[in-house]
Amino acid sequence: MFHDLGAALAGLATPVLAIVAFTALVRLLMHPLARAAVRGEKARAALAPQVGALKTRYGNDPRTLQRKTLELYRESGTSLFTGCLPALVQIPFFMVMYRLVTTDSPLLDGALFGAPLGTHWLGVFTFTPVFVGLFAALTAVAYATARWQAAQALRSGAPEPPMARWLRLLPFGTVPVAAVLPLAAGVYLLTTTTWTLVERALLYRLL
């Protein structure tokens, strides 16, 4: 199935453009889920000061704290897990994209600045300049994402989870992943992470 899909996409446009366009199409179809996730995050952020007050008051009574927290979310018309389901629903879409850009097909016969889309960098170290450019672009997007997340946390004024700073390092994980996967997967990663950054920044402004 993925071979046939890759062949179909390769027949519509140049392979690199096909990967970017198909990734953008999939992300556009998932946009309603992204809107729901952002609404949930903003709802939880708005209640964070009240949740913090409950933790201060009932910190020594976990059962009462849990009950009061659930009551707070219920009274506000939201849920503790609002926004989590949309994120989980997106996982199958990302799995499809991963299989598409790692399955041998005519889509991987294309090239980016002379580097075949099916080639790997780690262990081969050919076409290093192209991969270095890709790693630099992924690092820039990851850095911008981490800075944006920190700015949002500061703007909300809500207490951050203990591991929040370490979680902001997760976007940088795309760089080592791109180093071991085919170049096509790196193109996909760059496209989808850039889309995520721009989409969330716009949604936080508009919603």
Side-chain angles (χ1 to χ4, degrees):
M1 181 185 75
F2 296 103
H3 179 277
D4 295 337
L5 179 58
L9 290 174
L12 295 175
T14 61
V16 172
L17 181 59
I19 293 173
V20 172
F22 188 69
T23 302
L25 176 62
V26 171
R27 294 304 307 268
L28 189 61
L29 293 175
M30 292 193 299
H31 181 70
L33 301 178
R35 293 178 70 90
V38 170
R39 286 195 183 99
E41 291 171 6
K42 297 194 76 170
R44 290 196 301 272
L47 293 177
Q50 299 176 61
V51 173
L54 290 177
K55 289 181 179 179
T56 300
R57 184 174 181 180
Y58 301 105
N60 296 325
D61 188 352
R63 182 173 298 179
T64 302
L65 174 61
Q66 182 182 26
R67 178 170 56 83
K68 291 289 186 179
T69 301
L70 293 176
E71 289 176 358
L72 173 63
Y73 279 101
R74 185 165 54 250
E75 292 171 359
S76 67
T78 185
S79 168
L80 186 62
F81 303 103
T82 300
C84 295
L85 181 59
L88 293 176
V89 173
Q90 294 182 41
I91 294 178
F93 290 94
F94 291 123
M95 293 178 64
V96 169
M97 290 302 306
Y98 168 77
R99 289 295 302 275
L100 177 63
V101 296
T102 57
T103 299
D104 185 30
S105 74
L107 191 65
L108 299 187
D109 292 338
L112 176 64
F113 299 115
L117 292 176
T119 191
H120 296 68
W121 178 75
L122 190 64
V124 181
F125 305 114
T126 55
F127 305 103
T128 294
V130 176
F131 278 95
V132 168
L134 173 66
F135 299 154
L138 287 170
T139 301
V141 174
Y143 177 76
T145 300
R147 289 293 301 271
W148 180 82
Q149 291 173 346
Q152 285 300 126
L154 183 62
R155 189 176 295 113
S156 69
E160 291 191 271
M163 299 293 291
R165 293 186 177 182
W166 292 105
L167 290 175
R168 292 193 192 110
L169 297 177
L170 289 178
F172 293 93
T174 55
V175 178
V177 170
V180 299
L181 292 180
L183 180 58
V187 174
Y188 159 68
L189 286 173
L190 180 60
T191 304
T192 193
T193 53
T194 302
W195 181 287
T196 298
L197 175 62
V198 174
E199 181 182 56
R200 292 177 69 81
L202 290 176
L203 286 177
Y204 263 80
R205 286 181 175 271
L206 297 176
L207 295 182

